[in-house]
Amino acid sequence: MSNTAAAKPETVTLTDNQSGKQVVFPVLNGSVGPKVIDIRKLYGAVDMFTYDPGFTSTGSCESAITYIDGDAGVLLYRGYPIEELAVHSDFLETSYLLLNGNLPNAAEKAKFESAITRHTMLHEQLAAFFRGFRRDAHPMAICCGVVGALSAFYHDSTDIHDPHQRMVASHRLIAKMPTIAAMAYKYAIGQPFVYPQNRLGFAENFLHMCFSVPCEPYECSPVLSKAMDRIMILHADHEQNASTSTVRLAGSSGANPFACIAAGIACLWGPAHGGANEAVLKMLGEIGHKSRIPEFVARAKDKNDSFRLMGFGHRVYKNFDPRAKIMRETCYEVLNQLGIQDDLLELAMELERIALEDDYFIEKKLYPNVDFYSGIILKAMGFPVSMFTVLFAVARTVGWISQWNEMIGDPEQKIGRPRQLYTGSPSRSYVPVAAR
Ligand code: SDX
């Protein structure tokens, strides 16, 4: 490949060393980050596909929402560093930013908060859906089902070609996810559903729906509501991760936004993705004591052992995940302010220390990711492990729906339909069973 002079449009040239044929591809520049080679005409030119399982070197779309510099450990939401938003902003303001592209002024902020607040209730018939599940159903299974069912109740916001309906559906999803998550939790523990309270802030309202009971007043600790709000900011969006790519692919067929978000929830559930926070707590429980850390670190390094250190490593971050740093600080703050001495935190800190000094993790650039500490805080707040990924989904809904809106509004958008390297049988004739 060769790069031509900057004066002319930048291109790269591919040479097929069998046929000698050369094809020139344009290079596209973003605002920051790696350039891309526009290979859209490749198949037509050389009758070959690219091959990139897991899309490690493939840009699937153009986006202006979130930017990650994995080597520098940088995460920007619409250009704002996550460290600044985590300290100075709140989840609904950050949601407005992700959805609309800029921070709201005071009037825009108040209007958005009011719109979200007034969409937090669920259609009363949806409560019946929960009763169809076993009490021991995983809350992610319930969320997948109930969110998908929203499209059966909110027909007036499923026309994806109507910008107003798209925004109403976006507000409904952001607003109703905490209510659905809280109802899934209440259903699991056999307590009555708690209605949202419009007088409460977003995170406080969620904690109130989860932890209040009709028999006595519930005062939410400002420490916990602030920590919950910050955890939601940290999880709100993250470029074209697996679940966001799932939402985009589902949306590319024209599916309604509720169905697309249900697909994103399903993908997030996997332990390699959003399910990792639940897996971290189970792993720490299995390790049990710091004397056993070397045993598990050795297993994580053993190619013949499928065990991996959950909460470590990342497709993009080859430096510290900036969210993990903020999560660790928040973990300390919450546990100290609640006066909780959690052995799991000590164990996690020791595991992090040992792993980060180990050549295997250093060489492979494996650092703690956002999931490594989040579970410890959520456990301290009183959530069961099974709710951890649900909380991730509550926060990521705004990222998913912002990316979905961006895709629907992209004039170059078309249905996603990847090709393949076929390694199956060439054409062969049917053989009757008697002759097999
Ligand atoms: C999230 O994409 C996103 O942005 C996701 C996310 C978001 O906000 O949306 O950030 C949220 O999903 C965070 C990641 C949570 N998952 C986990 O913590 C699960 C544990 N981590 C691994 O499964 C893994 O690190 C992944 C899945 C996160 C990333 O996997 P990659 O990019 O496909 O990397 P890889 O599997 O090719 O690993 C590279 C090497 C391999 O060794 P070699 O084959 O090269 O010899 O590193 C090793 C892996 O075996 N490795 C690990 C490891 N993670 C990678 N070895 C031990 N423990 C680990 N955790």
Side-chain angles (χ1 to χ4, degrees):
M1 286 187 180
S2 62
N3 276 326
T4 52
K8 293 183 293 184
E10 199 171 345
T11 61
V12 292
T13 302
L14 183 74
T15 303
D16 178 347
N17 64 11
Q18 300 295 314
S19 64
K21 183 172 183 178
Q22 292 199 322
V23 186
V24 178
F25 297 99
V27 171
L28 307 179
N29 285 278
S31 42
V32 288
K35 303 173 184 178
V36 299
I37 302 169
D38 183 345
I39 58 162
R40 282 176 284 190
K41 68 180 184 185
L42 174 75
Y43 181 53
V46 297
D47 204 26
M48 283 190 263
F49 301 134
T50 59
Y51 184 64
D52 185 16
F55 312 118
T56 52
S57 299
T58 296
S60 61
C61 64
E62 182 177 323
S63 180
I65 298 174
T66 295
Y67 174 69
I68 301 171
D69 179 335
D71 294 325
V74 167
L75 170 57
L76 308 176
Y77 287 170
R78 298 284 190 180
Y80 293 96
I82 191 68
E83 295 83 355
E84 293 184 32
L85 293 171
V87 171
H88 301 299
S89 187
D90 60 61
F91 179 69
L92 280 190
E93 182 181 76
T94 299
S95 297
Y96 180 98
L97 171 66
L98 289 168
L99 266 177
N100 298 291
N102 289 299
L103 288 167
N105 61 32
E108 291 163 335
K109 180 168 178 163
K111 185 178 174 203
F112 182 72
E113 286 172 346
S114 172
I116 297 299
T117 299
R118 275 153 185 75
H119 277 301
T120 49
M121 278 180 68
L122 276 193
H123 188 294
E124 195 64 12
Q125 271 181 253
L126 270 162
F129 275 77
F130 291 79
R131 294 189 181 88
F133 289 95
R134 285 174 37 157
R135 289 284 181 179
D136 62 353
H138 194 292
M140 282 296 278
I142 296 177
C143 288
C144 281
V146 173
V147 171
L150 293 178
S151 38
F153 284 79
Y154 298 108
H155 301 106
D156 62 342
S157 58
T158 52
D159 177 357
I160 65 169
H161 302 296
D162 176 348
H164 173 70
Q165 290 199 29
R166 290 206 300 267
M167 201 41 76
V168 170
S170 303
H171 292 173
R172 279 175 165 154
L173 281 157
I174 294 165
K176 295 180 195 306
M177 272 302 282
T179 309
I180 292 167
M183 289 171 77
Y185 172 57
K186 285 303 201 186
Y187 183 72
I189 60 176
Q191 287 186 359
F193 297 143
V194 174
Y195 285 95
Q197 292 290 325
N198 290 353
R199 59 181 170 78
L200 299 177
F202 190 84
E204 191 181 4
N205 193 23
F206 174 59
L207 295 174
H208 179 264
M209 289 190 285
C210 289
F211 297 123
S212 73
V213 288
C215 333
E216 60 187 25
Y218 171 81
E219 278 307 311
C220 180
S221 145
V223 168
L224 292 187
S225 57
K226 178 65 188 158
M228 188 78 254
D229 192 271
R230 181 180 294 176
I231 289 171
M232 289 179 173
I233 291 174
L234 297 178
H235 287 82
D237 193 48
H238 215 237
E239 283 191 4
Q240 306 311 317
N241 59 83
S243 52
T244 297
S245 299
T246 300
V247 170
R248 278 181 172 261
L249 198 55
S252 73
S253 74
N256 74 70
F258 304 104
C260 294
I261 298 305
I265 294 171
C267 177
L268 186 75
W269 196 357
H273 190 14
N277 52 20
E278 181 175 346
V280 167
L281 260 287
K282 286 178 180 161
M283 175 187 73
L284 292 173
E286 200 184 336
I287 294 174
H289 188 271
K290 60 185 178 182
S291 59
R292 296 194 63 200
I293 290 176
E295 171 195 335
F296 283 83
V297 168
R299 283 187 59 195
K301 294 156 62 173
D302 179 356
K303 284 291 154 238
N304 300 317
D305 189 331
S306 62
F307 173 79
R308 287 192 165 182
L309 278 191
M310 302 316 282
F312 262 80
H314 199 276
R315 171 63 57 78
V316 178
Y317 289 121
K318 301 310 173 188
N319 194 325
F320 248 93
D321 179 337
R323 303 169 297 175
K325 283 184 186 173
I326 300 167
M327 201 67 85
R328 182 171 58 184
E329 290 154 20
T330 306
C331 206
Y332 260 114
E333 273 172 39
V334 169
L335 294 187
N336 288 344
Q337 281 160 330
L338 294 179
I340 296 176
Q341 171 66 31
D342 189 336
D343 295 341
L344 286 183
L345 176 59
E346 303 308 316
L347 186 61
M349 299 289 291
E350 181 63 4
L351 174 58
E352 177 189 341
R353 184 188 66 77
I354 292 174
L356 294 183
E357 290 173 355
D358 186 290
D359 291 342
Y360 175 92
F361 291 86
I362 294 169
E363 175 210 316
K364 293 185 185 295
K365 298 183 178 179
L366 302 174
Y367 292 88
N369 58 49
V370 68
D371 293 303
F372 189 63
Y373 287 101
S374 56
I376 295 169
I377 305 176
L378 298 175
K379 175 175 169 286
M381 287 181 170
F383 288 106
V385 172
S386 62
M387 278 294 291
F388 291 2
T389 309
V390 173
L391 303 182
F392 195 149
V394 167
R396 186 52 59 89
T397 294
V398 65
W400 288 331
I401 206 65
S402 299
Q403 299 268 352
W404 175 81
N405 274 297
E406 184 180 63
M407 178 202 65
I408 296 291
D410 180 349
E412 292 195 323
Q413 185 266 333
K414 55 177 62 177
I415 189 168
R417 206 298 188 188
R419 303 306 300 272
Q420 62 181 9
L421 174 66
Y422 179 66
T423 55
S425 167
S427 178
R428 52 184 170 167
S429 299
Y430 181 81
V431 176
V433 65
R436 289 177 206 153

